[in-house]
Amino acid sequence: QVQLAESGGGLVQVGGSLRLSCAASGGTFSSYGMGWFRQAPGKEREFVASMSWIGASTDYADSVKGRFTISRDNYRNIVYLQMNSLKPEDTAVYYCAARKRTSSKNLYEYDYWGQGTQVTVSS
């Protein structure tokens, strides 16, 4: 059983940056593919970024390509989401998720989820 805990959210102005962290415990972190998803009020949860278990493969939603970067530290059991050039439409609750081995854009393929962290971008 893997437990995930996000942190690093907050209020930031347009064009600013935030780095989200997701700390994992209770499992072999290095064997899990990790993903970041977000959910804005009144909208469905959507894919943001993902990284395979050894970090060899990454994927991004078109809306965040070139602005967001996913990375992982398998020694500290943390996955990060560096968010730059933030826009008001990035405002959402951000969730990290884990699944065995490979990563995925499909949220239904993930087995474990964190509680989420709020990101608010003010204009």
mmCIF file with all atom_site columns, all heavy atoms in Angstrom, residues 4 32-37 47 49-51 96-100 102-113:
data_model
loop_
_atom_site.group_PDB
_atom_site.id
_atom_site.type_symbol
_atom_site.label_atom_id
_atom_site.label_alt_id
_atom_site.label_comp_id
_atom_site.label_asym_id
_atom_site.label_entity_id
_atom_site.label_seq_id
_atom_site.pdbx_PDB_ins_code
_atom_site.Cartn_x
_atom_site.Cartn_y
_atom_site.Cartn_z
_atom_site.occupancy
_atom_site.B_iso_or_equiv
_atom_site.pdbx_formal_charge
_atom_site.auth_seq_id
_atom_site.auth_comp_id
_atom_site.auth_asym_id
_atom_site.auth_atom_id
_atom_site.pdbx_PDB_model_num
ATOM 1   N N   . LEU A 1 4   ? 0.496   8.715  -0.453  1.00 0.00 ? 4   LEU A N   1
ATOM 2   C CA  . LEU A 1 4   ? 1.041   9.873  -1.151  1.00 0.00 ? 4   LEU A CA  1
ATOM 3   C C   . LEU A 1 4   ? 0.573   11.150 -0.469  1.00 0.00 ? 4   LEU A C   1
ATOM 4   O O   . LEU A 1 4   ? -0.599  11.246 -0.086  1.00 0.00 ? 4   LEU A O   1
ATOM 5   C CB  . LEU A 1 4   ? 0.577   9.878  -2.610  1.00 0.00 ? 4   LEU A CB  1
ATOM 6   C CG  . LEU A 1 4   ? 0.916   8.636  -3.439  1.00 0.00 ? 4   LEU A CG  1
ATOM 7   C CD1 . LEU A 1 4   ? 0.235   8.706  -4.805  1.00 0.00 ? 4   LEU A CD1 1
ATOM 8   C CD2 . LEU A 1 4   ? 2.413   8.499  -3.610  1.00 0.00 ? 4   LEU A CD2 1
ATOM 9   N N   . TYR A 1 32  ? 7.275   2.426  -9.145  1.00 0.00 ? 32  TYR A N   1
ATOM 10  C CA  . TYR A 1 32  ? 5.990   3.000  -9.518  1.00 0.00 ? 32  TYR A CA  1
ATOM 11  C C   . TYR A 1 32  ? 6.125   4.094  -10.565 1.00 0.00 ? 32  TYR A C   1
ATOM 12  O O   . TYR A 1 32  ? 7.000   4.957  -10.483 1.00 0.00 ? 32  TYR A O   1
ATOM 13  C CB  . TYR A 1 32  ? 5.283   3.587  -8.294  1.00 0.00 ? 32  TYR A CB  1
ATOM 14  C CG  . TYR A 1 32  ? 4.695   2.532  -7.386  1.00 0.00 ? 32  TYR A CG  1
ATOM 15  C CD1 . TYR A 1 32  ? 5.466   1.938  -6.400  1.00 0.00 ? 32  TYR A CD1 1
ATOM 16  C CD2 . TYR A 1 32  ? 3.379   2.110  -7.538  1.00 0.00 ? 32  TYR A CD2 1
ATOM 17  C CE1 . TYR A 1 32  ? 4.936   0.956  -5.579  1.00 0.00 ? 32  TYR A CE1 1
ATOM 18  C CE2 . TYR A 1 32  ? 2.846   1.139  -6.717  1.00 0.00 ? 32  TYR A CE2 1
ATOM 19  C CZ  . TYR A 1 32  ? 3.631   0.564  -5.741  1.00 0.00 ? 32  TYR A CZ  1
ATOM 20  O OH  . TYR A 1 32  ? 3.114   -0.415 -4.935  1.00 0.00 ? 32  TYR A OH  1
ATOM 21  N N   . GLY A 1 33  ? 5.240   4.049  -11.536 1.00 0.00 ? 33  GLY A N   1
ATOM 22  C CA  . GLY A 1 33  ? 5.069   5.183  -12.415 1.00 0.00 ? 33  GLY A CA  1
ATOM 23  C C   . GLY A 1 33  ? 4.248   6.243  -11.693 1.00 0.00 ? 33  GLY A C   1
ATOM 24  O O   . GLY A 1 33  ? 3.334   5.910  -10.929 1.00 0.00 ? 33  GLY A O   1
ATOM 25  N N   . MET A 1 34  ? 4.592   7.500  -11.913 1.00 0.00 ? 34  MET A N   1
ATOM 26  C CA  . MET A 1 34  ? 3.936   8.582  -11.180 1.00 0.00 ? 34  MET A CA  1
ATOM 27  C C   . MET A 1 34  ? 3.273   9.551  -12.137 1.00 0.00 ? 34  MET A C   1
ATOM 28  O O   . MET A 1 34  ? 3.779   9.815  -13.239 1.00 0.00 ? 34  MET A O   1
ATOM 29  C CB  . MET A 1 34  ? 4.965   9.341  -10.341 1.00 0.00 ? 34  MET A CB  1
ATOM 30  C CG  . MET A 1 34  ? 5.713   8.490  -9.327  1.00 0.00 ? 34  MET A CG  1
ATOM 31  S SD  . MET A 1 34  ? 4.618   7.764  -8.090  1.00 0.00 ? 34  MET A SD  1
ATOM 32  C CE  . MET A 1 34  ? 3.996   9.228  -7.270  1.00 0.00 ? 34  MET A CE  1
ATOM 33  N N   . GLY A 1 35  ? 2.160   10.103 -11.686 1.00 0.00 ? 35  GLY A N   1
ATOM 34  C CA  . GLY A 1 35  ? 1.459   11.086 -12.504 1.00 0.00 ? 35  GLY A CA  1
ATOM 35  C C   . GLY A 1 35  ? 0.980   12.254 -11.668 1.00 0.00 ? 35  GLY A C   1
ATOM 36  O O   . GLY A 1 35  ? 0.784   12.138 -10.460 1.00 0.00 ? 35  GLY A O   1
ATOM 37  N N   . TRP A 1 36  ? 0.831   13.368 -12.328 1.00 0.00 ? 36  TRP A N   1
ATOM 38  C CA  . TRP A 1 36  ? 0.190   14.552 -11.739 1.00 0.00 ? 36  TRP A CA  1
ATOM 39  C C   . TRP A 1 36  ? -1.082  14.835 -12.520 1.00 0.00 ? 36  TRP A C   1
ATOM 40  O O   . TRP A 1 36  ? -1.074  14.818 -13.762 1.00 0.00 ? 36  TRP A O   1
ATOM 41  C CB  . TRP A 1 36  ? 1.094   15.774 -11.805 1.00 0.00 ? 36  TRP A CB  1
ATOM 42  C CG  . TRP A 1 36  ? 2.199   15.795 -10.803 1.00 0.00 ? 36  TRP A CG  1
ATOM 43  C CD1 . TRP A 1 36  ? 3.507   15.434 -10.994 1.00 0.00 ? 36  TRP A CD1 1
ATOM 44  C CD2 . TRP A 1 36  ? 2.111   16.210 -9.432  1.00 0.00 ? 36  TRP A CD2 1
ATOM 45  N NE1 . TRP A 1 36  ? 4.225   15.592 -9.843  1.00 0.00 ? 36  TRP A NE1 1
ATOM 46  C CE2 . TRP A 1 36  ? 3.391   16.081 -8.866  1.00 0.00 ? 36  TRP A CE2 1
ATOM 47  C CE3 . TRP A 1 36  ? 1.075   16.696 -8.629  1.00 0.00 ? 36  TRP A CE3 1
ATOM 48  C CZ2 . TRP A 1 36  ? 3.663   16.399 -7.533  1.00 0.00 ? 36  TRP A CZ2 1
ATOM 49  C CZ3 . TRP A 1 36  ? 1.338   17.010 -7.313  1.00 0.00 ? 36  TRP A CZ3 1
ATOM 50  C CH2 . TRP A 1 36  ? 2.619   16.865 -6.769  1.00 0.00 ? 36  TRP A CH2 1
ATOM 51  N N   . PHE A 1 37  ? -2.142  15.085 -11.794 1.00 0.00 ? 37  PHE A N   1
ATOM 52  C CA  . PHE A 1 37  ? -3.436  15.436 -12.369 1.00 0.00 ? 37  PHE A CA  1
ATOM 53  C C   . PHE A 1 37  ? -3.947  16.688 -11.667 1.00 0.00 ? 37  PHE A C   1
ATOM 54  O O   . PHE A 1 37  ? -3.457  17.042 -10.598 1.00 0.00 ? 37  PHE A O   1
ATOM 55  C CB  . PHE A 1 37  ? -4.440  14.290 -12.194 1.00 0.00 ? 37  PHE A CB  1
ATOM 56  C CG  . PHE A 1 37  ? -4.070  13.054 -12.980 1.00 0.00 ? 37  PHE A CG  1
ATOM 57  C CD1 . PHE A 1 37  ? -3.097  12.178 -12.508 1.00 0.00 ? 37  PHE A CD1 1
ATOM 58  C CD2 . PHE A 1 37  ? -4.689  12.767 -14.179 1.00 0.00 ? 37  PHE A CD2 1
ATOM 59  C CE1 . PHE A 1 37  ? -2.744  11.045 -13.231 1.00 0.00 ? 37  PHE A CE1 1
ATOM 60  C CE2 . PHE A 1 37  ? -4.358  11.641 -14.907 1.00 0.00 ? 37  PHE A CE2 1
ATOM 61  C CZ  . PHE A 1 37  ? -3.370  10.788 -14.432 1.00 0.00 ? 37  PHE A CZ  1
ATOM 62  N N   . PHE A 1 47  ? -5.316  15.042 -16.813 1.00 0.00 ? 47  PHE A N   1
ATOM 63  C CA  . PHE A 1 47  ? -3.902  14.703 -16.810 1.00 0.00 ? 47  PHE A CA  1
ATOM 64  C C   . PHE A 1 47  ? -3.053  15.953 -16.959 1.00 0.00 ? 47  PHE A C   1
ATOM 65  O O   . PHE A 1 47  ? -3.384  16.855 -17.747 1.00 0.00 ? 47  PHE A O   1
ATOM 66  C CB  . PHE A 1 47  ? -3.620  13.738 -17.957 1.00 0.00 ? 47  PHE A CB  1
ATOM 67  C CG  . PHE A 1 47  ? -2.166  13.497 -18.228 1.00 0.00 ? 47  PHE A CG  1
ATOM 68  C CD1 . PHE A 1 47  ? -1.419  12.686 -17.399 1.00 0.00 ? 47  PHE A CD1 1
ATOM 69  C CD2 . PHE A 1 47  ? -1.548  14.089 -19.320 1.00 0.00 ? 47  PHE A CD2 1
ATOM 70  C CE1 . PHE A 1 47  ? -0.083  12.455 -17.648 1.00 0.00 ? 47  PHE A CE1 1
ATOM 71  C CE2 . PHE A 1 47  ? -0.217  13.880 -19.580 1.00 0.00 ? 47  PHE A CE2 1
ATOM 72  C CZ  . PHE A 1 47  ? 0.522   13.057 -18.742 1.00 0.00 ? 47  PHE A CZ  1
ATOM 73  N N   . ALA A 1 49  ? 0.929   15.620 -16.081 1.00 0.00 ? 49  ALA A N   1
ATOM 74  C CA  . ALA A 1 49  ? 2.260   15.115 -16.422 1.00 0.00 ? 49  ALA A CA  1
ATOM 75  C C   . ALA A 1 49  ? 2.453   13.731 -15.815 1.00 0.00 ? 49  ALA A C   1
ATOM 76  O O   . ALA A 1 49  ? 1.790   13.388 -14.833 1.00 0.00 ? 49  ALA A O   1
ATOM 77  C CB  . ALA A 1 49  ? 3.339   16.062 -15.924 1.00 0.00 ? 49  ALA A CB  1
ATOM 78  N N   . SER A 1 50  ? 3.380   12.968 -16.395 1.00 0.00 ? 50  SER A N   1
ATOM 79  C CA  . SER A 1 50  ? 3.664   11.650 -15.846 1.00 0.00 ? 50  SER A CA  1
ATOM 80  C C   . SER A 1 50  ? 5.116   11.288 -16.110 1.00 0.00 ? 50  SER A C   1
ATOM 81  O O   . SER A 1 50  ? 5.773   11.838 -17.016 1.00 0.00 ? 50  SER A O   1
ATOM 82  C CB  . SER A 1 50  ? 2.740   10.586 -16.449 1.00 0.00 ? 50  SER A CB  1
ATOM 83  O OG  . SER A 1 50  ? 2.953   10.471 -17.837 1.00 0.00 ? 50  SER A OG  1
ATOM 84  N N   . MET A 1 51  ? 5.588   10.337 -15.300 1.00 0.00 ? 51  MET A N   1
ATOM 85  C CA  . MET A 1 51  ? 6.955   9.871  -15.430 1.00 0.00 ? 51  MET A CA  1
ATOM 86  C C   . MET A 1 51  ? 6.989   8.390  -15.096 1.00 0.00 ? 51  MET A C   1
ATOM 87  O O   . MET A 1 51  ? 6.400   7.965  -14.108 1.00 0.00 ? 51  MET A O   1
ATOM 88  C CB  . MET A 1 51  ? 7.892   10.661 -14.517 1.00 0.00 ? 51  MET A CB  1
ATOM 89  C CG  . MET A 1 51  ? 9.321   10.174 -14.502 1.00 0.00 ? 51  MET A CG  1
ATOM 90  S SD  . MET A 1 51  ? 10.417  11.248 -13.567 1.00 0.00 ? 51  MET A SD  1
ATOM 91  C CE  . MET A 1 51  ? 10.827  12.456 -14.821 1.00 0.00 ? 51  MET A CE  1
ATOM 92  N N   . CYS A 1 96  ? -1.195  13.963 -7.001  1.00 0.00 ? 96  CYS A N   1
ATOM 93  C CA  . CYS A 1 96  ? -0.246  13.005 -7.539  1.00 0.00 ? 96  CYS A CA  1
ATOM 94  C C   . CYS A 1 96  ? -0.852  11.611 -7.400  1.00 0.00 ? 96  CYS A C   1
ATOM 95  O O   . CYS A 1 96  ? -1.715  11.362 -6.549  1.00 0.00 ? 96  CYS A O   1
ATOM 96  C CB  . CYS A 1 96  ? 1.114   13.090 -6.871  1.00 0.00 ? 96  CYS A CB  1
ATOM 97  S SG  . CYS A 1 96  ? 1.183   12.550 -5.165  1.00 0.00 ? 96  CYS A SG  1
ATOM 98  N N   . ALA A 1 97  ? -0.378  10.730 -8.261  1.00 0.00 ? 97  ALA A N   1
ATOM 99  C CA  . ALA A 1 97  ? -0.905  9.381  -8.309  1.00 0.00 ? 97  ALA A CA  1
ATOM 100 C C   . ALA A 1 97  ? 0.204   8.408  -8.672  1.00 0.00 ? 97  ALA A C   1
ATOM 101 O O   . ALA A 1 97  ? 1.201   8.799  -9.299  1.00 0.00 ? 97  ALA A O   1
ATOM 102 C CB  . ALA A 1 97  ? -2.042  9.293  -9.325  1.00 0.00 ? 97  ALA A CB  1
ATOM 103 N N   . ALA A 1 98  ? 0.011   7.147  -8.292  1.00 0.00 ? 98  ALA A N   1
ATOM 104 C CA  . ALA A 1 98  ? 1.028   6.129  -8.531  1.00 0.00 ? 98  ALA A CA  1
ATOM 105 C C   . ALA A 1 98  ? 0.400   4.858  -9.102  1.00 0.00 ? 98  ALA A C   1
ATOM 106 O O   . ALA A 1 98  ? -0.730  4.506  -8.755  1.00 0.00 ? 98  ALA A O   1
ATOM 107 C CB  . ALA A 1 98  ? 1.760   5.794  -7.231  1.00 0.00 ? 98  ALA A CB  1
ATOM 108 N N   . ARG A 1 99  ? 1.151   4.211  -9.965  1.00 0.00 ? 99  ARG A N   1
ATOM 109 C CA  . ARG A 1 99  ? 0.750   2.901  -10.482 1.00 0.00 ? 99  ARG A CA  1
ATOM 110 C C   . ARG A 1 99  ? 2.023   2.122  -10.745 1.00 0.00 ? 99  ARG A C   1
ATOM 111 O O   . ARG A 1 99  ? 3.096   2.690  -10.902 1.00 0.00 ? 99  ARG A O   1
ATOM 112 C CB  . ARG A 1 99  ? -0.074  3.027  -11.762 1.00 0.00 ? 99  ARG A CB  1
ATOM 113 C CG  . ARG A 1 99  ? 0.676   3.533  -12.957 1.00 0.00 ? 99  ARG A CG  1
ATOM 114 C CD  . ARG A 1 99  ? -0.266  3.793  -14.133 1.00 0.00 ? 99  ARG A CD  1
ATOM 115 N NE  . ARG A 1 99  ? -0.962  2.600  -14.588 1.00 0.00 ? 99  ARG A NE  1
ATOM 116 C CZ  . ARG A 1 99  ? -0.540  1.818  -15.572 1.00 0.00 ? 99  ARG A CZ  1
ATOM 117 N NH1 . ARG A 1 99  ? 0.589   2.096  -16.197 1.00 0.00 ? 99  ARG A NH1 1
ATOM 118 N NH2 . ARG A 1 99  ? -1.245  0.767  -15.935 1.00 0.00 ? 99  ARG A NH2 1
ATOM 119 N N   . LYS A 1 100 ? 1.869   0.780  -10.802 1.00 0.00 ? 100 LYS A N   1
ATOM 120 C CA  . LYS A 1 100 ? 3.035   -0.070 -10.976 1.00 0.00 ? 100 LYS A CA  1
ATOM 121 C C   . LYS A 1 100 ? 3.719   0.184  -12.311 1.00 0.00 ? 100 LYS A C   1
ATOM 122 O O   . LYS A 1 100 ? 3.074   0.230  -13.345 1.00 0.00 ? 100 LYS A O   1
ATOM 123 C CB  . LYS A 1 100 ? 2.623   -1.542 -10.884 1.00 0.00 ? 100 LYS A CB  1
ATOM 124 C CG  . LYS A 1 100 ? 2.530   -2.051 -9.453  1.00 0.00 ? 100 LYS A CG  1
ATOM 125 C CD  . LYS A 1 100 ? 3.898   -2.178 -8.821  1.00 0.00 ? 100 LYS A CD  1
ATOM 126 C CE  . LYS A 1 100 ? 3.816   -2.940 -7.507  1.00 0.00 ? 100 LYS A CE  1
ATOM 127 N NZ  . LYS A 1 100 ? 5.150   -3.085 -6.879  1.00 0.00 ? 100 LYS A NZ  1
ATOM 128 N N   . THR A 1 102 ? 4.811   1.364  -15.285 1.00 0.00 ? 102 THR A N   1
ATOM 129 C CA  . THR A 1 102 ? 4.664   2.386  -16.315 1.00 0.00 ? 102 THR A CA  1
ATOM 130 C C   . THR A 1 102 ? 3.770   3.515  -15.836 1.00 0.00 ? 102 THR A C   1
ATOM 131 O O   . THR A 1 102 ? 3.021   3.381  -14.878 1.00 0.00 ? 102 THR A O   1
ATOM 132 C CB  . THR A 1 102 ? 4.063   1.790  -17.592 1.00 0.00 ? 102 THR A CB  1
ATOM 133 O OG1 . THR A 1 102 ? 2.772   1.257  -17.288 1.00 0.00 ? 102 THR A OG1 1
ATOM 134 C CG2 . THR A 1 102 ? 4.941   0.689  -18.144 1.00 0.00 ? 102 THR A CG2 1
ATOM 135 N N   . SER A 1 103 ? 3.877   4.630  -16.500 1.00 0.00 ? 103 SER A N   1
ATOM 136 C CA  . SER A 1 103 ? 3.006   5.747  -16.216 1.00 0.00 ? 103 SER A CA  1
ATOM 137 C C   . SER A 1 103 ? 1.900   5.765  -17.262 1.00 0.00 ? 103 SER A C   1
ATOM 138 O O   . SER A 1 103 ? 1.897   4.974  -18.199 1.00 0.00 ? 103 SER A O   1
ATOM 139 C CB  . SER A 1 103 ? 3.799   7.048  -16.219 1.00 0.00 ? 103 SER A CB  1
ATOM 140 O OG  . SER A 1 103 ? 4.528   7.173  -17.416 1.00 0.00 ? 103 SER A OG  1
ATOM 141 N N   . SER A 1 104 ? 0.955   6.672  -17.090 1.00 0.00 ? 104 SER A N   1
ATOM 142 C CA  . SER A 1 104 ? -0.196  6.712  -17.989 1.00 0.00 ? 104 SER A CA  1
ATOM 143 C C   . SER A 1 104 ? -0.834  8.083  -17.942 1.00 0.00 ? 104 SER A C   1
ATOM 144 O O   . SER A 1 104 ? -0.721  8.803  -16.952 1.00 0.00 ? 104 SER A O   1
ATOM 145 C CB  . SER A 1 104 ? -1.212  5.646  -17.566 1.00 0.00 ? 104 SER A CB  1
ATOM 146 O OG  . SER A 1 104 ? -2.419  5.770  -18.282 1.00 0.00 ? 104 SER A OG  1
ATOM 147 N N   . LYS A 1 105 ? -1.537  8.427  -19.015 1.00 0.00 ? 105 LYS A N   1
ATOM 148 C CA  . LYS A 1 105 ? -2.328  9.659  -19.041 1.00 0.00 ? 105 LYS A CA  1
ATOM 149 C C   . LYS A 1 105 ? -3.729  9.424  -18.498 1.00 0.00 ? 105 LYS A C   1
ATOM 150 O O   . LYS A 1 105 ? -4.471  10.374 -18.238 1.00 0.00 ? 105 LYS A O   1
ATOM 151 C CB  . LYS A 1 105 ? -2.468  10.166 -20.478 1.00 0.00 ? 105 LYS A CB  1
ATOM 152 C CG  . LYS A 1 105 ? -1.203  10.705 -21.097 1.00 0.00 ? 105 LYS A CG  1
ATOM 153 C CD  . LYS A 1 105 ? -1.505  11.243 -22.481 1.00 0.00 ? 105 LYS A CD  1
ATOM 154 C CE  . LYS A 1 105 ? -0.297  11.889 -23.127 1.00 0.00 ? 105 LYS A CE  1
ATOM 155 N NZ  . LYS A 1 105 ? -0.610  12.460 -24.445 1.00 0.00 ? 105 LYS A NZ  1
ATOM 156 N N   . ASN A 1 106 ? -4.085  8.170  -18.328 1.00 0.00 ? 106 ASN A N   1
ATOM 157 C CA  . ASN A 1 106 ? -5.436  7.800  -17.926 1.00 0.00 ? 106 ASN A CA  1
ATOM 158 C C   . ASN A 1 106 ? -5.528  7.695  -16.405 1.00 0.00 ? 106 ASN A C   1
ATOM 159 O O   . ASN A 1 106 ? -4.915  6.830  -15.788 1.00 0.00 ? 106 ASN A O   1
ATOM 160 C CB  . ASN A 1 106 ? -5.803  6.461  -18.558 1.00 0.00 ? 106 ASN A CB  1
ATOM 161 C CG  . ASN A 1 106 ? -7.241  6.073  -18.320 1.00 0.00 ? 106 ASN A CG  1
ATOM 162 O OD1 . ASN A 1 106 ? -7.913  6.607  -17.441 1.00 0.00 ? 106 ASN A OD1 1
ATOM 163 N ND2 . ASN A 1 106 ? -7.709  5.120  -19.088 1.00 0.00 ? 106 ASN A ND2 1
ATOM 164 N N   . LEU A 1 107 ? -6.313  8.564  -15.812 1.00 0.00 ? 107 LEU A N   1
ATOM 165 C CA  . LEU A 1 107 ? -6.375  8.600  -14.355 1.00 0.00 ? 107 LEU A CA  1
ATOM 166 C C   . LEU A 1 107 ? -6.946  7.304  -13.778 1.00 0.00 ? 107 LEU A C   1
ATOM 167 O O   . LEU A 1 107 ? -6.635  6.951  -12.636 1.00 0.00 ? 107 LEU A O   1
ATOM 168 C CB  . LEU A 1 107 ? -7.177  9.808  -13.884 1.00 0.00 ? 107 LEU A CB  1
ATOM 169 C CG  . LEU A 1 107 ? -8.658  9.901  -14.267 1.00 0.00 ? 107 LEU A CG  1
ATOM 170 C CD1 . LEU A 1 107 ? -9.516  9.299  -13.170 1.00 0.00 ? 107 LEU A CD1 1
ATOM 171 C CD2 . LEU A 1 107 ? -9.076  11.367 -14.463 1.00 0.00 ? 107 LEU A CD2 1
ATOM 172 N N   . TYR A 1 108 ? -7.750  6.586  -14.550 1.00 0.00 ? 108 TYR A N   1
ATOM 173 C CA  . TYR A 1 108 ? -8.362  5.360  -14.046 1.00 0.00 ? 108 TYR A CA  1
ATOM 174 C C   . TYR A 1 108 ? -7.367  4.202  -13.964 1.00 0.00 ? 108 TYR A C   1
ATOM 175 O O   . TYR A 1 108 ? -7.676  3.158  -13.398 1.00 0.00 ? 108 TYR A O   1
ATOM 176 C CB  . TYR A 1 108 ? -9.561  4.976  -14.907 1.00 0.00 ? 108 TYR A CB  1
ATOM 177 C CG  . TYR A 1 108 ? -10.659 6.003  -14.854 1.00 0.00 ? 108 TYR A CG  1
ATOM 178 C CD1 . TYR A 1 108 ? -10.876 6.872  -15.922 1.00 0.00 ? 108 TYR A CD1 1
ATOM 179 C CD2 . TYR A 1 108 ? -11.451 6.141  -13.713 1.00 0.00 ? 108 TYR A CD2 1
ATOM 180 C CE1 . TYR A 1 108 ? -11.859 7.843  -15.863 1.00 0.00 ? 108 TYR A CE1 1
ATOM 181 C CE2 . TYR A 1 108 ? -12.434 7.107  -13.649 1.00 0.00 ? 108 TYR A CE2 1
ATOM 182 C CZ  . TYR A 1 108 ? -12.633 7.959  -14.722 1.00 0.00 ? 108 TYR A CZ  1
ATOM 183 O OH  . TYR A 1 108 ? -13.609 8.924  -14.655 1.00 0.00 ? 108 TYR A OH  1
ATOM 184 N N   . GLU A 1 109 ? -6.184  4.401  -14.517 1.00 0.00 ? 109 GLU A N   1
ATOM 185 C CA  . GLU A 1 109 ? -5.163  3.358  -14.463 1.00 0.00 ? 109 GLU A CA  1
ATOM 186 C C   . GLU A 1 109 ? -4.240  3.512  -13.260 1.00 0.00 ? 109 GLU A C   1
ATOM 187 O O   . GLU A 1 109 ? -3.314  2.720  -13.096 1.00 0.00 ? 109 GLU A O   1
ATOM 188 C CB  . GLU A 1 109 ? -4.347  3.365  -15.763 1.00 0.00 ? 109 GLU A CB  1
ATOM 189 C CG  . GLU A 1 109 ? -5.178  2.958  -16.985 1.00 0.00 ? 109 GLU A CG  1
ATOM 190 C CD  . GLU A 1 109 ? -4.359  2.865  -18.250 1.00 0.00 ? 109 GLU A CD  1
ATOM 191 O OE1 . GLU A 1 109 ? -3.161  3.241  -18.232 1.00 0.00 ? 109 GLU A OE1 1
ATOM 192 O OE2 . GLU A 1 109 ? -4.916  2.439  -19.281 1.00 0.00 ? 109 GLU A OE2 1
ATOM 193 N N   . TYR A 1 110 ? -4.497  4.499  -12.432 1.00 0.00 ? 110 TYR A N   1
ATOM 194 C CA  . TYR A 1 110 ? -3.682  4.712  -11.248 1.00 0.00 ? 110 TYR A CA  1
ATOM 195 C C   . TYR A 1 110 ? -4.336  4.082  -10.022 1.00 0.00 ? 110 TYR A C   1
ATOM 196 O O   . TYR A 1 110 ? -5.561  4.120  -9.861  1.00 0.00 ? 110 TYR A O   1
ATOM 197 C CB  . TYR A 1 110 ? -3.432  6.202  -11.020 1.00 0.00 ? 110 TYR A CB  1
ATOM 198 C CG  . TYR A 1 110 ? -2.411  6.754  -11.985 1.00 0.00 ? 110 TYR A CG  1
ATOM 199 C CD1 . TYR A 1 110 ? -2.775  7.142  -13.271 1.00 0.00 ? 110 TYR A CD1 1
ATOM 200 C CD2 . TYR A 1 110 ? -1.070  6.853  -11.618 1.00 0.00 ? 110 TYR A CD2 1
ATOM 201 C CE1 . TYR A 1 110 ? -1.837  7.619  -14.170 1.00 0.00 ? 110 TYR A CE1 1
ATOM 202 C CE2 . TYR A 1 110 ? -0.121  7.340  -12.504 1.00 0.00 ? 110 TYR A CE2 1
ATOM 203 C CZ  . TYR A 1 110 ? -0.515  7.724  -13.775 1.00 0.00 ? 110 TYR A CZ  1
ATOM 204 O OH  . TYR A 1 110 ? 0.425   8.193  -14.664 1.00 0.00 ? 110 TYR A OH  1
ATOM 205 N N   . ASP A 1 111 ? -3.491  3.517  -9.177  1.00 0.00 ? 111 ASP A N   1
ATOM 206 C CA  . ASP A 1 111 ? -3.979  2.776  -8.019  1.00 0.00 ? 111 ASP A CA  1
ATOM 207 C C   . ASP A 1 111 ? -4.003  3.579  -6.735  1.00 0.00 ? 111 ASP A C   1
ATOM 208 O O   . ASP A 1 111 ? -4.791  3.293  -5.827  1.00 0.00 ? 111 ASP A O   1
ATOM 209 C CB  . ASP A 1 111 ? -3.096  1.544  -7.794  1.00 0.00 ? 111 ASP A CB  1
ATOM 210 C CG  . ASP A 1 111 ? -3.061  0.635  -9.015  1.00 0.00 ? 111 ASP A CG  1
ATOM 211 O OD1 . ASP A 1 111 ? -4.153  0.245  -9.475  1.00 0.00 ? 111 ASP A OD1 1
ATOM 212 O OD2 . ASP A 1 111 ? -1.964  0.334  -9.513  1.00 0.00 ? 111 ASP A OD2 1
ATOM 213 N N   . TYR A 1 112 ? -3.125  4.556  -6.633  1.00 0.00 ? 112 TYR A N   1
ATOM 214 C CA  . TYR A 1 112 ? -2.975  5.302  -5.388  1.00 0.00 ? 112 TYR A CA  1
ATOM 215 C C   . TYR A 1 112 ? -2.997  6.797  -5.681  1.00 0.00 ? 112 TYR A C   1
ATOM 216 O O   . TYR A 1 112 ? -2.437  7.257  -6.674  1.00 0.00 ? 112 TYR A O   1
ATOM 217 C CB  . TYR A 1 112 ? -1.667  4.930  -4.690  1.00 0.00 ? 112 TYR A CB  1
ATOM 218 C CG  . TYR A 1 112 ? -1.501  3.454  -4.472  1.00 0.00 ? 112 TYR A CG  1
ATOM 219 C CD1 . TYR A 1 112 ? -0.691  2.678  -5.302  1.00 0.00 ? 112 TYR A CD1 1
ATOM 220 C CD2 . TYR A 1 112 ? -2.197  2.816  -3.438  1.00 0.00 ? 112 TYR A CD2 1
ATOM 221 C CE1 . TYR A 1 112 ? -0.564  1.322  -5.102  1.00 0.00 ? 112 TYR A CE1 1
ATOM 222 C CE2 . TYR A 1 112 ? -2.066  1.457  -3.228  1.00 0.00 ? 112 TYR A CE2 1
ATOM 223 C CZ  . TYR A 1 112 ? -1.253  0.716  -4.066  1.00 0.00 ? 112 TYR A CZ  1
ATOM 224 O OH  . TYR A 1 112 ? -1.127  -0.640 -3.869  1.00 0.00 ? 112 TYR A OH  1
ATOM 225 N N   . TRP A 1 113 ? -3.632  7.527  -4.759  1.00 0.00 ? 113 TRP A N   1
ATOM 226 C CA  . TRP A 1 113 ? -3.803  8.971  -4.931  1.00 0.00 ? 113 TRP A CA  1
ATOM 227 C C   . TRP A 1 113 ? -3.504  9.704  -3.634  1.00 0.00 ? 113 TRP A C   1
ATOM 228 O O   . TRP A 1 113 ? -3.767  9.195  -2.543  1.00 0.00 ? 113 TRP A O   1
ATOM 229 C CB  . TRP A 1 113 ? -5.244  9.291  -5.337  1.00 0.00 ? 113 TRP A CB  1
ATOM 230 C CG  . TRP A 1 113 ? -5.566  8.847  -6.723  1.00 0.00 ? 113 TRP A CG  1
ATOM 231 C CD1 . TRP A 1 113 ? -5.993  7.602  -7.117  1.00 0.00 ? 113 TRP A CD1 1
ATOM 232 C CD2 . TRP A 1 113 ? -5.484  9.636  -7.907  1.00 0.00 ? 113 TRP A CD2 1
ATOM 233 N NE1 . TRP A 1 113 ? -6.169  7.579  -8.476  1.00 0.00 ? 113 TRP A NE1 1
ATOM 234 C CE2 . TRP A 1 113 ? -5.869  8.816  -8.985  1.00 0.00 ? 113 TRP A CE2 1
ATOM 235 C CE3 . TRP A 1 113 ? -5.129  10.953 -8.164  1.00 0.00 ? 113 TRP A CE3 1
ATOM 236 C CZ2 . TRP A 1 113 ? -5.910  9.275  -10.302 1.00 0.00 ? 113 TRP A CZ2 1
ATOM 237 C CZ3 . TRP A 1 113 ? -5.162  11.414 -9.477  1.00 0.00 ? 113 TRP A CZ3 1
ATOM 238 C CH2 . TRP A 1 113 ? -5.550  10.574 -10.521 1.00 0.00 ? 113 TRP A CH2 1
#
